[in-house]
Amino acid sequence: MFWLLSWMVLLLFIPADWAEFIDSGISKWSIPYVGTAIFLIPVSFFVSLLVKKLYHYFFSISEEKQDIKNINKAKKILRGLSTEEWQIINYIFEKGSTEYMADCSMASICNLVDKKIIYGLGGRSPSSHTYYLYDLYEDAIVKIVAESNR
């Protein structure tokens, strides 16, 4: 559909001299600008393909910048945690979940859930849930560890 729009725009804005030059070889039909219209079809396909590729390129750059911004925000949140909350995060990061975790307060776990750093799956009560890290915070922990090992 976009190629049709680009074809129409090219037809509207092509200089008359160019159109006459293109049509000079096909003057036997005596239909004005038919050669130009036919010639501009592949050109419009190329233009629409180029515009789509540029759009996807700039969109991917925008997503990468947004991801970097989100990871930096997550790192800032992680650095502001208490030692007990950090121990819970570290345990979940190393083991994958809180399935067999003992000696942790539910208040710290609830704080982490409220901050949307971890989420729980399972039973009806919060104490019977198994907690996992959100992917964003896993990536942020990896970045923090990588920065500290430089």
Side-chain angles (χ1 to χ4, degrees):
M1 189 67 178
F2 185 75
W3 78 267
L4 183 64
L5 177 66
S6 62
W7 180 63
M8 294 298 288
V9 168
L10 286 172
L11 281 176
L12 287 174
F13 292 113
I14 191 169
D17 295 338
W18 292 8
E20 289 173 7
F21 174 74
I22 294 170
D23 283 335
S24 65
I26 312 176
S27 59
K28 61 183 175 188
W29 291 335
S30 67
I31 301 173
Y33 302 114
V34 72
T36 305
I38 292 170
F39 174 76
L40 288 179
I41 289 173
V43 173
S44 67
F45 273 114
F46 175 74
V47 167
S48 66
L49 179 69
L50 183 68
V51 168
K52 283 188 221 176
K53 293 292 184 185
L54 287 173
Y55 171 77
H56 288 299
Y57 173 74
F58 288 118
F59 186 71
S60 68
I61 287 175
S62 173
E63 279 185 341
E64 287 176 14
K65 286 185 179 183
Q66 187 66 30
D67 290 344
I68 290 170
K69 183 180 173 183
N70 288 340
I71 286 177
N72 288 337
K73 188 176 178 182
K75 286 188 330 188
K76 185 178 178 182
I77 290 171
L78 286 175
R79 287 186 177 123
L81 295 177
S82 68
T83 55
E84 185 178 3
E85 290 173 336
W86 187 251
Q87 288 173 349
I88 294 169
I89 296 291
N90 190 27
Y91 183 87
I92 295 172
F93 182 72
E94 289 176 1
K95 305 292 185 198
S97 69
T98 59
E99 203 163 30
Y100 301 110
M101 186 172 181
D103 300 332
C104 68
S105 70
M106 280 311 295
S108 297
I109 289 178
C110 290
N111 285 340
L112 291 172
V113 170
D114 290 341
K115 293 177 185 177
K116 299 206 185 299
I117 297 173
I118 62 174
Y119 63 96
L121 298 174
R124 293 180 184 246
S125 70
S127 61
S128 64
H129 286 178
T130 301
Y131 292 95
Y132 301 94
L133 277 171
Y134 282 108
D135 291 337
L136 174 66
Y137 290 97
E138 282 185 22
D139 295 340
I141 290 172
V142 168
K143 297 280 185 184
I144 289 172
V145 170
E147 288 172 0
S148 66
N149 288 333
R150 284 187 187 174

